[in-house]
Amino acid sequence: MAPGVVMPRSGAPPNEFEGRVTIYVVVCGIIAATGGLMFGYDIGISGGVTSMDDFLEKFFHKVYLKKHHAREDNYCKFDNQGLQLFTSSLYLAALLTSFLASKTCTRYGRKPTMQAASVFFLVGTVLNAAAVNLWMLIIGRLLLGVGVGCANQAVPLFLSEIAPVKLRGALNILFQLMVTIGILVANLVNYKASTIHPSGWRLALGLAGVPAAILCIGSFIIPETPTSLIERQELDQGLSVLKKIRGTDNVSLEYKEILQASELAKEVKHPFKNLRQPSSRPPLVIAVLMQIFQQFTGINAIMFYAPVLFQTIGFKNDASLLSAVITGTVNVLCTIVSIVFVDKAGRKILLLSACILMLIAQTTIGGVLHANLKATNNLNHSVAIVVVVFVCVFVGSFAWSWGPLGWLIPSETFPLETRTAGFSFAVSSNMLFTFIIAQAFLSMMCHMRASIFFFFSAWIVAMGLFVVFLLPETKNVPIDEMIERVWKLHWYWKRNNMFVTQIDSDIFFMQTWEHWKNGKMFEIIDTSIVENCRENEVLRCIQIGLLCAQELPDNRPLISQVVLMFNSPSMDIPVPLKPAHYASMREGSSVNEDPISELQPR
Ligand SMILES: OC[C@H]1O[C@](O)(CO)[C@@H](O)[C@@H]1O
């Protein structure tokens, strides 16, 4: 192989898998994406409900009194930990559940995890709609959170795995599109429910059952993903689903690729432990950073509390909800923009353009509020309109970028062996930071006042730098070829031998073994291994292969031990060797010694 030329593992040229975009794959994608509808409905509904008088009077009497106390500071009207806990408890439960859901995704599949999501969600909804005290409300929210944790783990993975490579971005974004539709529907429901007294809030919370019911029924129609089937040894079924979703019988290359990925994944007994290996670091760091950044744009300060925020700046109850409906509509429309462009323009350009616009929007909102909104005076009408317009600019640019790509990028950048475990970190980080914002925003607004928007602006600058320097482009890269085609080539992430992984060493040693068996002299077969390392350790690994193959009389068991050694997930790769081994092996005097036992994991 020419130096530096790295072939995908299946040997297939990138992007050349057979198959078209079938109606079946699109329908399955839409059904699965209703998991996003549940999530979105929840995000949108809590803001509206927590600003409804009937609800506040029943459960948060103090806030109700404060809200109607004319002299109360505008920025602090809604600052109440209990009220914030109502919103945020869901995310706490989702955070913890996502780790569990990662295991059910691997062991039982993506589909049953989605089914579990819908059941938890339905039970939570019933408790919420029937709540007679705060505890019923909170427990209901926790169960909704369990549902969201399962759905947010399973759905994006499902979408990325069934998608044909050229449409992976678009199909994955269906999830976020459903999130935004859920938010919009919730805003509309809030708008109507706020006029129904005294139980409009029950209707608002109870309607969350609709998307859960759709997902529950729909999940019986969709198949399990081929990847998950193959990973769980249901090879025939995996192959037949693959043929069905690709609309062709000619899927052998893609099948082989998934099979290889799952063979390697099988070696990994502890995917969470494996995430600690250097080769998992880049997708993990990026997955977590994407979530922190997504939430510190300040999006949920607006999504959860839009009606509250608009009331803060002086809109009446109805007008506030109406403004939330406007921003919700912008959110949906701009997510569609993302679906259209993500696989053409690529991920980075969407993220960067959004950073620029969001920065302008946040600083303008902060400036306008700072100059015009005093503690007890509302904004005058035209200034309030300016704020709404910039909120729309902010929400729109978020919607074509950090919103959808926050899910897409982590779902496509991990290798199969750590995909569900790695993705669960993305989901849980998203939930954690959503929780933090939900819990802290109203208090932050009370203390920081308009400066809170400058706080978010500073984060947006950091995000822009992250995109420019650290985020690789993953457009049109097959999902199981990220290591070779993305990480190994990135100026920063390729450093420190991070990608001399067990995959490399497996291939390397297998090739070496084949050559040896066929009586050929050893030669360096994959020069990319040598090229991608900067430290001597990798060369030392290659030397082991050489020594074993050439100098030991009974080389087979030793080679298999070496392969084993490289497969061991508990060991960092490359494995540090003691120089004494070289000598003893070279002299051929220690064939019966077990060199592996002397090797210590780093
Ligand atoms: O559309 C906005 C919504 O999208 C998310 O970022 C999820 O991807 C939510 O946290 C936010 O409320």
Side-chain angles (χ1 to χ4, degrees):
M1 188 190 299
V5 176
V6 184
M7 285 297 283
R9 297 205 295 270
S10 64
N15 286 345
E16 294 297 318
F17 296 144
E18 283 273 335
R20 54 201 162 79
V21 180
T22 56
I23 305 263
Y24 183 59
V25 93
V26 174
V27 170
C28 290
I30 292 174
I31 292 174
T34 49
L37 212 53
M38 302 187 326
F39 179 35
Y41 188 85
D42 262 309
I43 294 169
I45 212 71
S46 48
V49 167
T50 51
S51 70
M52 286 179 198
D53 281 348
D54 294 324
F55 178 83
L56 288 178
E57 200 180 359
K58 189 167 175 62
F59 296 107
F60 300 96
H61 200 68
K62 267 196 200 150
V63 185
Y64 174 76
L65 291 178
K66 240 175 162 188
K67 182 182 167 194
H68 291 282
H69 198 286
R71 290 183 159 276
E72 188 61 48
D73 183 338
N74 263 325
Y75 286 104
C76 299
K77 278 187 201 174
F78 295 93
D79 176 16
N80 177 286
Q81 288 298 313
L83 186 65
Q84 293 176 82
L85 188 64
F86 166 75
T87 302
S88 63
S89 51
L90 185 153
Y91 300 94
L92 203 56
L95 186 170
L96 299 174
T97 306
S98 58
F99 292 110
L100 207 70
S102 135
K103 291 208 184 307
T104 61
C105 269
T106 306
R107 194 165 303 163
Y108 306 110
R110 291 38 167 162
K111 181 171 148 164
T113 310
M114 285 187 234
Q115 285 165 334
S118 58
V119 173
F120 279 113
F121 205 86
L122 280 170
V123 180
T125 304
V126 172
L127 272 181
N128 263 353
V132 289
N133 55 39
L134 192 57
W135 283 112
M136 274 180 88
L137 266 189
I138 303 283
I139 292 173
R141 291 284 290 174
L142 291 175
L143 288 174
L144 295 181
V146 174
V148 167
C150 289
N152 286 16
Q153 170 75 18
V155 174
L157 284 180
F158 178 92
L159 295 172
S160 282
E161 287 178 350
I162 61 163
V165 63
K166 287 205 188 96
L167 210 74
R168 189 177 62 238
L171 211 61
N172 184 286
I173 292 177
L174 280 183
F175 173 73
Q176 178 71 9
L177 181 66
M178 291 294 184
V179 173
T180 60
I181 293 176
I183 296 174
L184 176 60
V185 171
N187 287 343
L188 289 167
V189 169
N190 277 337
Y191 190 49
K192 192 73 205 139
S194 66
T195 62
I196 304 173
H197 301 288
S199 295
W201 63 269
R202 289 192 194 278
L203 177 74
L205 295 179
L207 283 176
V210 175
I214 300 176
L215 181 65
C216 190
I217 296 164
S219 65
F220 289 97
I221 301 170
I222 58 176
E224 183 52 87
T225 68
T227 311
S228 174
L229 288 166
I230 293 167
E231 195 181 15
R232 287 176 297 116
Q233 292 309 304
E234 299 186 29
L235 301 185
D236 291 343
Q237 220 190 325
L239 182 62
S240 86
V241 172
L242 191 60
K243 285 178 181 168
K244 196 164 171 199
I245 60 177
R246 296 285 173 263
T248 169
D249 279 350
N250 198 357
V251 291
S252 56
L253 279 182
E254 189 172 358
Y255 177 73
K256 209 170 136 199
E257 172 102 11
I258 301 175
L259 200 61
Q260 276 181 354
S262 81
E263 292 289 310
L264 288 167
K266 252 194 298 174
E267 303 291 334
V268 176
K269 297 283 176 287
H270 307 286
F272 280 99
K273 239 185 186 177
N274 228 55
L275 277 176
R276 295 209 302 256
Q277 285 197 352
S279 57
S280 296
R281 210 172 292 152
L284 188 61
V285 169
I286 282 179
V288 172
L289 279 181
M290 289 287 303
Q291 311 310 318
I292 299 178
F293 287 145
Q294 189 201 64
Q295 289 307 313
F296 278 92
T297 55
I299 184 67
N300 278 327
I302 289 172
M303 286 298 138
F304 295 144
Y305 300 115
V308 169
L309 190 73
F310 288 128
Q311 280 183 37
T312 300
I313 63 176
F315 285 178
K316 296 263 170 313
N317 208 351
D318 267 12
S320 312
L321 284 173
L322 187 61
S323 313
V325 170
I326 295 171
T327 50
T329 309
V330 170
N331 198 11
V332 173
L333 295 179
C334 290
T335 307
I336 296 173
V337 169
S338 186
I339 292 184
V340 175
F341 288 107
V342 69
D343 291 314
K344 298 191 183 81
R347 284 64 166 147
K348 289 184 72 154
I349 188 84
L350 293 180
L351 291 168
L352 262 183
S353 56
C355 281
I356 295 168
L357 285 175
M358 288 192 300
L359 185 62
I360 295 171
Q362 288 281 29
T363 46
T364 311
I365 296 169
V368 169
L369 292 188
H370 189 70
N372 295 287
L373 184 64
K374 304 292 170 242
T376 49
N377 294 341
N378 291 335
L379 291 187
N380 79 40
H381 191 65
S382 49
V383 177
I385 300 287
V386 171
V387 172
V388 175
V389 167
F390 277 95
V391 168
C392 287
V393 170
F394 170 76
V395 170
S397 35
F398 175 90
W400 75 58
S401 58
W402 292 85
L405 301 186
W407 302 109
L408 171 62
I409 292 176
S411 76
E412 66 182 8
T413 42
F414 285 98
L416 181 59
E417 56 267 31
T418 49
R419 191 171 299 152
T420 59
F423 192 68
S424 70
F425 272 90
V427 177
S428 55
S429 315
N430 187 288
M431 295 299 131
L432 174 66
F433 291 96
T434 305
F435 169 79
I436 291 173
I437 294 282
Q439 191 63 30
F441 175 68
L442 293 179
S443 311
M444 280 167 80
M445 191 163 76
C446 177
H447 292 106
M448 294 170 75
R449 310 179 155 252
S451 315
I452 192 165
F453 294 96
F454 300 126
F455 167 81
F456 290 132
S457 307
W459 278 94
I460 294 173
V461 173
M463 291 156 59
L465 295 174
F466 161 79
V467 175
V468 172
F469 294 109
L470 290 182
L471 190 76
E473 180 57 78
T474 45
K475 170 183 85 164
N476 285 346
V477 181
I479 193 165
D480 286 310
E481 291 171 18
M482 292 290 163
I483 290 187
E484 282 83 358
R485 298 193 52 214
V486 172
W487 301 117
K488 274 182 171 183
L489 307 180
H490 188 269
W491 74 274
Y492 178 76
W493 297 116
K494 74 178 179 191
R495 293 171 43 201
N496 297 332
N497 300 329
M498 280 184 185
F499 295 102
V500 181
T501 60
Q502 54 205 75
I503 295 165
D504 290 323
S505 38
D506 283 350
I507 292 174
F508 177 77
F509 280 108
M510 271 154 58
Q511 286 170 337
T512 309
W513 175 242
E514 283 304 309
H515 273 240
W516 186 248
K517 261 198 327 200
N518 297 337
K520 290 190 193 147
M521 285 299 292
F522 177 83
E523 53 185 297
I524 291 183
I525 306 154
D526 186 352
T527 48
S528 63
I529 293 179
V530 184
E531 269 174 25
N532 281 322
C533 65
R534 293 191 335 165
E535 291 172 13
N536 290 338
E537 281 173 318
V538 181
L539 291 174
R540 273 201 270 143
C541 297
I542 291 170
Q543 276 172 344
I544 310 170
L546 237 169
L547 287 169
C548 299
Q550 287 185 330
E551 297 184 23
L552 296 180
D554 177 13
N555 48 19
R556 188 182 237 280
L558 189 54
I559 282 190
S560 64
Q561 277 178 329
V562 172
V563 172
L564 248 183
M565 177 179 84
F566 275 95
N567 276 340
S568 165
S570 61
M571 248 179 235
D572 244 353
I573 292 167
V575 178
L577 276 181
K578 292 187 181 159
H581 276 140
Y582 294 89
S584 60
M585 286 155 82
R586 222 175 261 125
E587 284 153 15
S589 60
S590 52
V591 182
N592 295 328
E593 262 182 33
D594 176 12
I596 310 297
S597 63
E598 289 184 39
L599 299 174
Q600 294 303 319
R602 248 197 272 167

